[in-house]
Amino acid sequence: MRLTEFTELTGLEFGRLRADAMLVDLVLVELGGRTGAQAIDDGVDPRDVWRALCREFDVPRERW
């Protein structure tokens, strides 16, 4: 997944301001105790970060 697609999906699902805050503030155990932004900076595929966020917030699977 490209970063632009990830940014678009997070904005649509969570709202742009909330998504931006989540990426820098929310630590996800699934991502090794990193925030989404840290994981992406460390080279984790944005698709994996997207799926971790979806699981954390119980986003219906059809919107993943």
Side-chain angles (χ1 to χ4, degrees):
M1 172 184 286
R2 293 186 322 222
L3 191 54
T4 54
E5 183 181 6
F6 171 81
T7 302
E8 182 180 329
L9 287 172
T10 57
L12 289 171
E13 185 63 41
F14 303 111
R16 184 76 271 139
L17 292 176
R18 183 176 180 209
D20 289 346
M22 286 171 31
L23 288 174
V24 297
D25 294 334
L26 179 67
V27 174
L28 296 165
V29 173
E30 185 174 339
L31 298 176
R34 297 176 286 191
T35 67
Q38 289 169 326
I40 289 171
D41 286 345
D42 290 345
V44 174
D45 188 325
R47 180 182 311 275
D48 295 331
V49 176
W50 168 247
R51 289 179 178 166
L53 289 169
C54 288
R55 282 188 282 276
E56 181 72 21
F57 288 95
D58 296 321
V59 174
R61 202 140 171 88
E62 62 270 8
R63 294 202 308 255
W64 289 21

